[in-house]
Amino acid sequence: MKGFAKKITGIFLIFTLMASLTACGGNTTDNASKTEGSNDASVAEDTSKNDEKQLDSEEEVTLTLWSIATESDAFNPAYTKAIADYEAAHPGVKIVHETFENESYKTKIKTAVAANDLPDIFFTWGGGFSQAFVEAEKVLALDEYYTEFSDELNVAALGNATYNEKIYGSTFSTPVSLLFYNKKMFDERGLTAPTTFEEWKMVNQAFLEDGITPIGISVKDTWVLAMTHDALTLKSAGPEKVHNVLTKTSGTYNDPDFINASASLVELIEMGALIEGAAGLSNDEASQLFYNGTVPMYITGSWMAGSIYTDAETPEDFDLAPIPVLNDANAQITDFMGGASDTLMVAASTEHPEIAGNAVFELTRSISKYAYLDGAGVAAWNVDYDESEIKPLVQKVAKYATSATSFTLWFDTLMEASDAGEYLALLQELYIGNLTPEEFAQAMEEQLE
């Protein structure tokens, strides 16, 4: 996904590519210390001495961490345990964890960057979303701190947090979009998980004939709607074309494969496959309709695999599958939206760069472990602990991730921030019928020019 040597972003051909990318890893340490501002070598050295002086004098250092791991988020327990572990291992350092709802956080983080009011450590999304933060020199380069952890976290996993060959963040999970479904409700009707869009329509029709709305979705939290549209586009246009068009490398959004994806979403809406009132439903409210059996399908990130075990009364009734393919000439069932984009970064303005620079790796290492054990996500860091108790659905997610033919970042992460904001706004217009698929494609084309 990104590496902005212009965005290694988007297509992340897993393990074979990881092997080749590893070679470009730890050669930027010196560069990080030559950056201006708080990256400056002398400043970092002085600040490091200040950090040590503070710890030596037993004066507590407090680091503030922002994230979207709210209490209802599947990653919240992992953050809590990771912070506890870190504080136990580093007496004198306290981490204050402040959490925010996903959608509003995207605005808050941009505002904080503009106002130079970032906390010491903050969650963000790699790729195009954070590119402007790095270009504005508001983020600390972390190459020198990564070296200590390079045997535990492949540098290829940091591709979405690498800009101009410098590492600016650390990740903890490899989430992907999946079709979650109520297997019991499918079995009762003799249905199986669809692998093509035509099969998906037939499944939807079977539920509709039984008076059941097939698909839960939130339009109020636009990122949920976007996950469905992103996936349809990937499975229509394929990973290479999607990456090239959204990163303005080549191609046009007026391509018939892009229009086909938007038309397919409209087709689902018009056949009544999506839950009514989605414009007023939050993700939490809409996903609850899936957990309680009101709707049999829900498209979202792989973190739902863990949430099913805590939020559904009968977790054994649920299963998951890749998103169906629209055009097998361009896409495979094993092409996935997602990848290691969830990232923790350090503000260039932090008063404790040495402590925060190390903490961001220790924290993501622990979050990776606990989130995997909790079933919230597939570990991005090496697994050197007992995983025999991993929940079956999480094991299935890990299996899909390791056999994926490609990863493509979600649109609102892959695109530059201004393009992403317009995309989400246009998507809502498409959903309510104010734009046709062709008009939506033309508007996106103009936005990406």
Side-chain angles (χ1 to χ4, degrees):
M1 313 208 221
K2 63 244 93 232
F4 296 153
K6 201 42 181 170
K7 300 173 191 149
I8 293 175
T9 326
I11 309 168
F12 200 41
L13 293 176
I14 313 200
F15 301 110
T16 51
L17 265 186
M18 283 181 168
S20 62
L21 287 171
T22 302
C24 63
N27 61 350
T28 52
T29 301
D30 292 341
N31 292 338
S33 63
K34 294 175 182 175
T35 306
E36 292 183 357
S38 58
N39 291 351
D40 183 277
S42 60
V43 174
E45 184 178 350
D46 290 344
T47 310
S48 175
K49 292 177 180 177
N50 290 336
D51 290 345
E52 295 170 1
K53 188 175 180 180
Q54 284 179 291
L55 290 178
D56 289 345
S57 65
E58 298 184 355
E59 179 180 344
E60 186 174 81
V61 171
T62 298
L63 301 178
T64 299
L65 164 64
W66 284 1
S67 85
I68 59 171
T70 59
E71 289 188 6
S72 62
D73 188 272
F75 282 89
N76 181 272
Y79 271 83
T80 300
K81 286 179 276 192
I83 291 170
D85 284 356
Y86 180 85
E87 290 180 341
H90 299 277
V93 181
K94 180 177 177 56
I95 295 179
V96 176
H97 185 201
E98 299 179 6
T99 64
F100 306 89
E101 188 276 328
N102 186 320
E103 203 68 40
S104 62
Y105 183 72
K106 292 171 182 172
T107 299
K108 182 176 182 63
I109 195 70
K110 294 171 186 173
T111 301
V113 169
N116 199 29
D117 193 29
L118 285 168
D120 300 283
I121 302 173
F122 60 98
F123 171 90
T124 186
W125 295 268
F129 186 87
S130 294
Q131 184 178 10
F133 307 166
V134 173
E135 291 176 345
E137 300 184 353
K138 300 298 177 67
V139 186
L140 186 70
L142 301 174
D143 300 80
E144 62 184 294
Y145 309 107
Y146 166 69
T147 303
E148 178 183 349
F149 303 93
S150 59
D151 290 340
E152 301 172 85
L153 178 64
N154 193 314
V155 71
L158 300 177
N160 290 328
T162 301
Y163 303 82
N164 297 324
E165 300 183 356
K166 292 183 180 180
I167 296 170
Y168 284 91
S170 181
T171 190
F172 46 84
S173 182
T174 307
V176 295
S177 290
L178 291 162
L179 172 65
F180 290 86
Y181 65 98
N182 188 314
K183 189 173 185 302
K184 180 181 179 182
M185 295 174 73
F186 270 56
D187 289 346
E188 289 171 348
R189 293 162 179 80
L191 302 172
T192 58
T195 60
T196 68
F197 187 69
E198 292 305 314
E199 290 179 359
W200 196 14
K201 287 194 295 183
M202 288 190 286
V203 167
N204 289 329
Q205 190 59 44
F207 281 109
L208 288 169
E209 289 173 358
D210 282 351
I212 297 172
T213 302
I215 304 171
I217 197 168
S218 167
V219 178
K220 181 180 180 181
D221 288 333
T222 318
W223 63 268
V224 185
L225 172 64
M227 276 198 163
T228 298
H229 185 263
D230 292 358
L232 290 173
T233 309
L234 173 69
K235 295 306 180 78
S236 176
E240 183 175 1
K241 191 182 291 184
V242 168
H243 176 266
N244 289 341
V245 169
L246 298 189
T247 58
K248 308 175 186 178
T249 303
S250 64
T252 170
Y253 207 98
N254 275 320
D255 186 291
D257 289 323
F258 283 84
I259 296 174
N260 178 47
S262 300
S264 296
L265 175 63
V266 171
E267 189 173 358
L268 293 176
I269 296 169
E270 292 181 343
M271 74 182 296
L274 304 186
I275 193 77
E276 288 187 12
L281 292 174
S282 68
N283 176 58
D284 287 348
E285 293 167 332
S287 58
Q288 187 57 39
L289 297 176
F290 174 65
Y291 296 140
N292 67 19
T294 300
V295 296
M297 287 178 279
Y298 204 92
I299 288 180
T300 190
S302 47
W303 51 81
M304 179 173 267
S307 298
I308 284 173
Y309 291 98
T310 57
D311 296 351
E313 291 188 5
T314 54
E316 64 275 13
D317 290 345
F318 295 87
D319 206 341
L320 55 86
I323 309 298
V325 172
L326 277 67
N327 184 345
D328 61 10
N330 295 330
Q332 302 181 56
I333 193 71
T334 48
D335 290 328
F336 290 94
M337 294 300 306
S341 66
D342 290 354
T343 303
L344 293 187
M345 292 185 173
V346 176
S349 58
T350 181
E351 295 179 0
H352 309 288
E354 294 289 332
I355 297 174
N358 175 271
V360 78
F361 287 103
E362 290 200 28
L363 287 171
T364 50
R365 180 177 60 189
S366 293
I367 294 170
S368 177
K369 170 185 173 181
Y370 289 123
Y372 187 39
L373 293 175
D374 292 344
V378 177
W381 287 66
N382 292 349
V383 176
D384 57 359
Y385 41 85
D386 181 12
E387 52 182 334
S388 60
E389 299 300 319
I390 301 296
K391 302 295 186 184
L393 288 180
V394 180
Q395 292 182 18
K396 195 167 185 178
V397 173
K399 183 178 179 181
Y400 280 131
T402 55
S403 61
T405 44
S406 74
F407 290 126
T408 300
L409 280 181
W410 289 292
F411 286 18
D412 61 349
T413 303
L414 178 58
M415 290 187 288
E416 295 176 5
S418 57
D419 297 332
E422 184 64 13
Y423 167 66
L424 296 176
L426 291 171
L427 201 52
Q428 287 186 315
E429 294 297 304
L430 177 69
Y431 174 82
I432 62 178
N434 285 347
L435 292 175
T436 66
E438 292 78 9
E439 291 170 337
F440 173 81
Q442 178 58 33
M444 282 299 299
E445 175 64 16
E446 292 172 1
Q447 176 64 33
L448 293 170
E449 284 181 353

